[in-house]
């Protein structure tokens, strides 16, 4: 016989503490009790619990709460609460309720009210999760996990989301991302590589003359580079910039649809921007003119200010000269700040042209509006991206650059040296741009999408497109007033 049965079968003493009284009219005298340890409780409508005299269903009262009463004229004994210091007695359920077994469709005992079988909020978790939303893990309310049909989750993104998404873009679709960049860069970098090889040949001849016959150097030609090398170098740089513009447009369409899990082939990427090609070129030219104008203005302010200050110093007006030079440097710093401010404000014009399909100046105005109030965040992400790409690109280009320079110093007058030197630079440039260009374009396009999610709720539209299950094109990014 267990200890609980002994308590049930033998009379005991009253519990310690003040004895509670039944309400008047309950039909049970106050102060009477039975030594039930809580094992004889029964739910309403159920039969008498074993071990309870008369089959009475009673309940332990919580302090200050009246318990159930017996029908008039029925003699019952009050039940002693199990929580008042009785040994080995376990607290039972509240009066009038059943045993610890859970009713069908409800949570087991101990679960917070209104929560499911595992303690998860109603509508969440495995039994009630909306499509794309997973269980909460700890059983308490929280923000649902955003669906992720593509390279990033469909919610406002963090810096880590942007970088991870850009890397995932290259990893999941290398044929289109790295492949397109490699093909375009390989075609457009040929002339610049030839120009670089010619420049290395000119420097090789110059160094050979300086070491072996310094008197043969012509003082009238201080620059040891031929006109042909200069033309091919800078002409090739312009062609490479044109190739970069084309790759940017192609990869912008790829990134926009990769967010929804669609992998474009090179042919599909070209079809997506084919009718926007001249708009892309026009935007690139306008941006180039803006950058060139800002750079020229900054250089002129610095040159004129320092020149005037130097002239004053030479004439003997030392204090005035120093003041002018200081003001010139401050003006240059202010011009640089204006330059950076404008560059960030129009940074998203290319994604706007490709995905929203608007004109050149409308895309500039649209980018200006999207970045309002977000300049510092956008600037920081762009700066971090450039630093990361510069570091990785510098590490990868070092072997090719060092090899090219080694050929210049070791074989300065050999006929094959310019070809080998240019080939090394060419191969390094193609390989490196095949990976850094998609990354830069990916971060820029994802940041544009992030700004629209934060300002316009674009993530809700993308949720609907992903839930629909059918393929969509760039038209999903059209603004609502145009869609």
């Amino acid at each position: 016989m267990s200890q609980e049965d002994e308590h049930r079968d033998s009379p005991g003493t009253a519990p310690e503490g003040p004895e509670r009284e039944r309400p008047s009219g309950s039909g049970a005298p106050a102060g009477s009790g039975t030594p039930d340890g809580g094992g004889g409780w029964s739910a309403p409508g159920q039969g008498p619990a074993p071990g309870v005299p008369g089959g009475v269903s009673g309940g332990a009262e919580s302090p200050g709460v009246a318990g159930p009463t017996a029908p008039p004229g029925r003699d019952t004994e009050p039940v002693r609460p199990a929580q008042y210091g009785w040994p080995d007695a376990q607290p039972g359920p509240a009066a009038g309720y059943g045993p610890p077994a859970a009713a069908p469709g409800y949570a087991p005992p101990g679960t917070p009210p209104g929560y499911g079988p595992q303690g998860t909020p109603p509508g969440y978790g495995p039994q009630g999760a909306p499509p794309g939303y997973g269980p909460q893990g700890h059983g308490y309310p929280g923000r649902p996990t955003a669906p992720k049909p593509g390279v990033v989750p469909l919610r406002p993104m963090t810096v880590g989301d942007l970088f991870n998404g850009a890397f995932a873009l290259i990893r999941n679709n290398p044929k289109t991302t790295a492949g397109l960049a490699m093909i375009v860069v390989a075609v457009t970098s040929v002339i610049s590589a030839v120009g670089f090889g010619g420049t290395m040949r000119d420097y090789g001849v110059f160094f050979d003359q300086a070491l072996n016959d310094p008197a043969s150097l012509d003082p009238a030609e201080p620059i040891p580079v031929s006109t042909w090398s200069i033309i091919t170098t800078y002409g090739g740089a312009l062609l490479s910039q044109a190739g970069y513009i084309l790759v940017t447009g192609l990869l912008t369409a790829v990134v926009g649809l990769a967010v929804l899990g669609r992998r474009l082939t090179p042919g599909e990427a070209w079809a997506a921007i084919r009718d926007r090609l001249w708009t892309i070129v026009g935007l690139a030219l306008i941006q180039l003119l803006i950058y060139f104008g800002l750079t020229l203005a900054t250089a002129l302010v610095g040159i004129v200010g320092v020149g005037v200050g130097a002239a004053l110093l030479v004439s003997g007006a030392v204090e005035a000269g120093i003041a002018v030079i200081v003001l010139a440097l401050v003006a240059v710093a202010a011009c640089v700040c204006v330059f950076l401010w404008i560059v960030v404000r129009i940074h998203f014009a290319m994604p706007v042209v490709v995905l929203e399909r608007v004109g050149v100046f409308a895309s500039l105005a649209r980018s200006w509006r999207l970045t309002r109030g977000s300049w510092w965040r956008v600037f920081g992400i762009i700066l971090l991206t450039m630093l990361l790409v510069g570091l990785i690109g510098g590490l990868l280009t070092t072997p090719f650059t060092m090899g090219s320079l080694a050929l210049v110093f070791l074989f300065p007058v050999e006929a094959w040296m310019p070809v080998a030197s240019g080939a090394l630079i060419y191969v390094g440039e193609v390989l490196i741009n095949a990976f850094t260009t998609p990354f830069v374009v990916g971060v820029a396009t994802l940041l544009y999408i992030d700004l629209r999610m934060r300002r316009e709720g674009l993530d809700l539209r993308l949720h609907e497109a992903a839930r629909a299950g059918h393929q969509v094109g760039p038209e999903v990014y059209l603004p609502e007033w145009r869609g």
Side-chain angles (χ1 to χ4, degrees), residues 13 38 42 210 262 296 369 382 474 477:
T13 58
S42 63
R262 185 177 172 188
L296 182 61
R369 291 192 298 270
I382 294 174
Y477 291 100

Side-chain angles (χ1 to χ4, degrees), residues 98-121:
Y106 290 86
T111 305
Y115 287 72
Q118 299 300 325
T120 53

Side-chain angles (χ1 to χ4, degrees), residues 37-370:
W41 297 94
S42 63
Q46 296 180 357
V52 178
V56 179
S57 298
E61 303 281 332
S62 299
V65 180
T69 60
R74 185 171 181 176
D75 191 12
T76 61
E77 293 181 357
V79 180
R80 180 176 55 231
Q83 63 265 32
Y84 282 95
W86 286 84
D88 298 329
Q90 300 297 326
Y97 289 85
Y106 290 86
T111 305
Y115 287 72
Q118 299 300 325
T120 53
Y124 291 82
Q127 300 299 324
Y133 291 77
Q136 299 302 306
H138 295 288
Y140 292 96
R143 184 176 68 179
T145 303
K148 187 181 178 182
V151 294
V152 291
L154 299 183
R155 56 166 170 74
M157 290 170 266
T158 63
V159 178
D161 292 329
L162 297 173
F163 286 178
N164 290 337
F167 282 120
L169 173 73
I170 303 172
R171 184 175 61 253
N172 295 342
N173 196 1
K175 178 181 176 181
T176 302
T177 53
L180 274 178
M182 184 177 294
I183 292 172
V184 175
V185 173
V187 172
T188 58
S189 299
V190 172
I191 296 179
S192 61
V194 172
F196 183 83
T199 302
M200 292 296 100
R201 181 198 59 192
D202 295 337
Y203 273 108
V205 173
F206 174 78
F207 288 133
D208 183 67
Q209 290 179 346
L211 293 175
N212 299 324
D213 189 9
S216 63
L217 297 177
D218 187 0
E221 295 182 1
I223 300 177
V225 180
S226 65
T227 304
W228 179 83
S229 296
I230 295 175
I231 292 175
T232 53
T233 299
Y234 287 97
L238 290 176
L239 185 60
S240 297
Q241 182 64 25
Y244 178 78
I245 294 168
L246 177 61
V247 171
T248 300
L250 290 169
L251 295 182
T252 298
V254 173
V255 177
L257 295 181
V259 170
L260 294 173
R262 185 177 172 188
R263 298 182 183 182
L264 294 185
T265 64
E268 290 173 335
W270 169 251
I273 71 158
R274 183 170 48 198
D275 59 339
R276 308 297 302 161
L277 184 59
W278 292 111
T279 308
I280 292 172
V281 173
L283 173 63
L285 291 176
I286 294 298
Q287 286 182 318
L288 184 62
L289 289 176
I290 293 173
Y291 300 156
F292 178 76
L294 293 173
T295 303
L296 182 61
T298 303
L300 288 176
V301 169
I303 292 172
V304 172
V306 173
V308 171
L312 291 174
L313 288 175
V314 171
S315 64
V318 177
E319 294 182 356
I322 294 175
V324 170
I325 292 175
V326 171
L327 289 176
L329 295 177
V330 172
V332 168
C335 290
V336 170
C337 292
V338 173
F339 177 84
L340 294 175
W341 182 66
I342 294 176
V343 167
V344 171
R345 296 301 298 269
I346 64 175
H347 183 71
F348 302 107
M350 186 64 73
V352 171
V353 161
V354 175
L355 298 178
E356 299 187 22
R357 314 185 81 77
V358 299
V360 173
F361 295 101
S363 66
L364 294 171
R366 172 75 164 152
S367 176
W368 195 276
R369 291 192 298 270
L370 283 175

